[in-house]
Amino acid sequence: MEFRCTPADASSWASSGNGDTLAVGLFSGEDGTTLEALEAHFGPGLKERLEQRRFKAKPGEVLSFDWLGRRPGTLLLVGLGEAEAFDLAGLRRAAAAAAKASLAAGGTDLGLALPLAGVEPAEAVSAIAGAVRLSLYADQRFKSEAETRPLPERVSLLGFEAAHDGVLAAVGATCAGVELARELVAAPPNVVTPQALADTAAAIARDFGLELKVLERADCEALGMGAYLAVSQASSLPPKFIHLTYHPAGEVRRRVALVGKGLTFDSGGYNLKTAGSQIEMMKYDMGGSAAVLGAARAIAELKPEGIEVHMIVAACENMISGDALHPGDIVTASNGKTIEVNNTDAEGRLTLADALVYACKLELDAVVDLATLTGAVVIALGEEIAGLWSPSDSLAEALVTAGRDGGESFWRLPLQASYIEGLKSPVADLKNTGPRPGGSITAALFLQEFVRPDLAWAHLDIAGTVWSDKGRGLDPAGATGFGVRTLVNWVRSGGPA
Ligand code: BES
Ligand code: MN
Ligand code: ZN
C-alpha cells in the first residue's frame, strides 16, 4: 500500500480516471453541495438514491455504488455524523470504514476525500493514513491458505498538499511497529518464546543499527535477579533478559527507558489458572514487551534527535514442574528486597521488579513500564482504556496526550500510599499480592518499590487493551498492538519535560 497526498478534490480526481474507487465523506444534514459535485461526474440521481436507501450519514455508515465500464467504477459515501461533533476519532473511524468498504469492493487504487476534523492538515493526514493501514491489517501467518483479499496498491488522500512525505513516512514506521507488536502478541506461545523475543530484538538491532545486549540466566544470577529467575525456573525454555538501545546521532538531551512485561506464557504457576481464567489466551501476556519492541522498530527507523531510548524486557514463561516456585517461597530481587510469593500467578510484577532495578541503574530521566499486569484493570476500565499510574503529574499528562494523539486511551489511577499495608509480609520485606479490592493499585505500588524515587516513572497496565475478541475502531479482531503509538509519540515529542 502506497500512500500519497494530492491537492485534487473528489471530482477532479475522479475525472482524471486514475483510480478505481472513490470514497467521499458526508456530514448528516449536509446542504448537498458535495452530492451535486459528485453528480456532475457520475450523473444525476445520487440524491434520490441516498433517500431511497435511507442513508443518514451516521458515523461509520457506508453506501456503495458501482458503475460498469467507468473509472472510478465504485463510489463509496461515508457517513461522518454531525459536523459539530466530528473530531480526530471520527476521522479515523471514517477512514477505516472507507478502507474496509473499498477492500470489500475489490478496489486497488483508492481516493479518499475526508474533511480536516478541525486539526492541522499534517495531523489529519497522519490519522487517515494510519487508520487505513491499521484497519486493513490481516494476520494470515497461521493459515495454510490466505483467506483475505489483496490490499489496495495505492491510496490517495485528496485535498492535501503533496508536502506531507515526512508525515507519511512517520505513519509508515509507526504502523510497522504496531504490526510487529500485533504479530508478536497474536503468535502462540510455542512460536513466540523468550528466545523468539530475543531474536526479534536482534533483527531490529541488525536492520536499524541499535545496540543489543541479551543477558542469559547466568548473567541474571550474577546480578542477583532472584525475583525474575524464580518465575522462569520451571520452564524448559531459558529466560532471556533483553536490553536494546537507540543512540541518537549528535547530542543526547534526554534518556528514557521503556520496560515491557514479557511473559510468553502465563500458566499461573502452582496458583494455576483455572477454567474461565483465560489460560489459553495467556500468549498475550507479553503484550508489554511487544509494545516496547514495536516502538523500538519505529523509533529506530524514525531516528528522533536528542533522545536515547533503552528498551528492556525480562522475557520468560511462568510454568509448573518439580522445579517450580512454590506458593510461599521467599525470593530476593536485585535491589536486595525480599519477597514472599504468596501467589505465583502475580508473576509479572516479579519479573518487572528486576527489570526496573536494572533500568534504574542506567543514567535516565524517565522510565515507563507497560504490562498486562492485572485482571482487575480489565474490570475497572474495560478493553478500550489502559490504566496509568505515576507520581509525576507532568509525565502522566505527557503520556495521556501522546496516547490521545495516537488514538490510544489511558486513565490515571492513584498510587494510594496507604494501600502498601496490603503488601506487608510477616516474614519478608513484601509479599507479591495484597487483597483483591484495588488489585491494580497494589500491583503498581509493588512495582514502585523497585524504582529509584528520584526518577520520573509511569506504569501502564494494558491487560484489557492488548487484545480485542471482536475488533474495535482501527483494530481488527485479535491483537491490537496497543501502546506502540503512545510510546512513539511520547519519545518523538522529546520524552520527559
Ligand atoms: N497476566 C495476568 C493478568 C491478566 C489477567 C492479563 C487477565 C490479562 C487478562 C497476571 O499475571 C495475573 O495473573 N494477575 C493476577 C494477579 C492476582 C493473582 C493478584 C490477576 O489479575 O488475577
Ligand atoms: Mn499471572
Ligand atoms: Zn501474567
Side-chain angles (χ1 to χ4, degrees):
M1 248 188 319
E2 181 201 321
F3 290 90
R4 53 173 210 143
C5 292
T6 161
D9 64 8
S11 305
S12 55
W13 184 80
S15 314
S16 74
N18 286 325
D20 56 31
T21 309
L22 171 64
V24 179
L26 279 183
F27 288 115
S28 55
E30 197 169 308
D31 66 2
T33 344
T34 312
L35 285 179
E36 276 157 30
L38 290 171
E39 283 184 339
H41 179 79
F42 290 98
L46 215 45
K47 270 191 221 162
E48 288 73 17
R49 282 300 167 86
L50 292 194
E51 277 165 31
Q52 196 182 14
R53 297 203 202 167
R54 305 272 189 275
F55 182 72
K56 298 278 184 283
K58 281 186 247 158
E61 193 181 0
V62 182
L63 209 52
S64 173
F65 297 95
D66 284 312
W67 284 270
L68 297 175
R70 178 197 274 274
R71 273 181 82 80
T74 304
L75 172 66
L76 303 169
L77 296 177
V78 184
L80 306 174
E82 303 289 337
E84 303 76 49
F86 191 63
D87 58 6
L88 208 52
L91 181 57
R92 288 196 181 96
R93 189 183 317 132
K100 285 184 210 155
S102 88
L103 198 68
T108 61
D109 195 334
L110 170 66
L112 272 172
L114 295 169
L116 276 181
V119 297
E120 293 298 314
E123 226 179 311
V125 166
S126 170
I128 296 170
V132 169
R133 172 145 169 197
L134 292 178
S135 61
L136 294 186
Y137 167 91
D139 187 353
Q140 301 283 306
R141 291 170 300 158
F142 302 105
K143 300 269 190 195
S144 54
E145 267 175 71
E147 287 173 356
T148 52
R149 295 164 191 253
L151 298 177
E153 279 158 29
R154 197 152 68 144
V155 181
S156 303
L157 277 53
L158 310 181
F160 291 98
E161 292 303 325
H164 292 291
D165 287 354
V167 176
L168 289 174
V171 170
T174 306
C175 290
V178 175
E179 287 167 359
L180 172 61
R182 286 177 176 176
E183 285 185 4
L184 288 170
V185 169
N190 59 337
V191 172
V192 167
T193 57
Q195 181 65 56
L197 288 180
D199 292 345
T200 302
I204 298 169
R206 185 194 59 224
D207 294 350
F208 298 98
L210 301 193
E211 184 191 343
L212 175 66
K213 232 194 296 184
V214 178
L215 308 188
E216 304 296 336
R217 181 183 277 129
D219 305 316
C220 297
E221 274 165 9
L223 289 171
M225 295 184 174
Y228 164 47
L229 291 175
V231 173
S232 86
Q233 74 194 25
S235 171
S236 348
L237 305 177
K240 299 284 164 183
F241 189 102
I242 300 162
H243 178 190
L244 196 57
T245 311
Y246 164 71
H247 297 279
E251 192 201 349
V252 175
R253 291 187 294 276
R254 297 263 184 276
R255 292 179 175 82
V256 300
L258 311 175
V259 178
K261 172 174 170 181
L263 263 291
T264 61
F265 185 69
D266 176 13
S267 72
Y270 275 107
N271 291 100
L272 189 60
K273 289 194 183 290
T274 48
S277 63
Q278 295 218 299
I279 188 170
E280 75 286 359
M281 292 310 298
M282 283 303 142
K283 64 178 184 183
Y284 67 53
D285 213 15
M286 33 59 70
S289 68
V292 167
L293 291 174
R297 193 221 169 279
I299 290 164
E301 184 174 341
L302 293 170
K303 304 195 181 356
E305 281 176 14
I307 185 161
E308 182 177 287
V309 189
H310 297 268
M311 277 83 40
I312 294 164
V313 178
C316 67
E317 285 191 312
N318 185 20
M319 299 294 277
I320 51 177
S321 82
D323 296 321
L325 190 58
H326 314 85
D329 278 356
I330 297 174
V331 300
T332 307
S334 43
N335 64 348
K337 286 200 183 175
T338 58
I339 305 160
E340 179 193 5
V341 181
N342 63 343
N343 192 320
T344 60
D345 198 10
E347 83 300 334
R349 61 195 79 180
L350 295 172
T351 67
L352 287 166
D354 280 325
L356 287 167
V357 169
Y358 177 94
C360 287
K361 289 182 196 157
L362 305 168
E363 193 187 327
L364 291 179
D365 298 292
V367 56
V368 177
D369 76 72
L370 294 91
T372 48
L373 203 62
T374 64
V377 86
V378 192
I379 302 301
L381 300 175
E383 79 163 27
E384 291 184 22
I385 309 166
L388 184 162
W389 286 261
S390 181
S392 159
D393 293 344
S394 60
L395 179 57
E397 236 166 81
L399 287 166
V400 169
T401 305
R404 191 182 303 124
D405 292 347
E408 296 181 329
S409 303
F410 294 89
W411 192 259
R412 189 175 179 191
L413 289 153
L415 282 161
Q416 182 70 22
S418 54
Y419 289 9
I420 198 75
E421 289 303 319
L423 294 175
K424 292 244 162 94
S425 160
V427 287
D429 297 341
L430 283 169
K431 52 187 185 184
N432 71 331
T433 71
R436 228 160 88 86
S440 299
I441 297 177
T442 42
L445 289 169
F446 180 90
L447 297 182
Q448 194 174 25
E449 293 294 308
F450 300 89
V451 178
R452 230 168 61 201
D454 58 309
L455 193 58
W457 161 70
H459 158 59
L460 309 176
D461 193 337
I462 59 172
T465 54
V466 288
W467 190 269
S468 172
D469 279 334
K470 297 199 185 98
R472 76 174 113 83
L474 311 185
D475 298 320
T480 60
F482 188 93
V484 173
R485 282 164 279 175
T486 301
L487 294 178
V488 173
N489 287 345
W490 178 65
V491 166
R492 291 185 81 212
S493 74

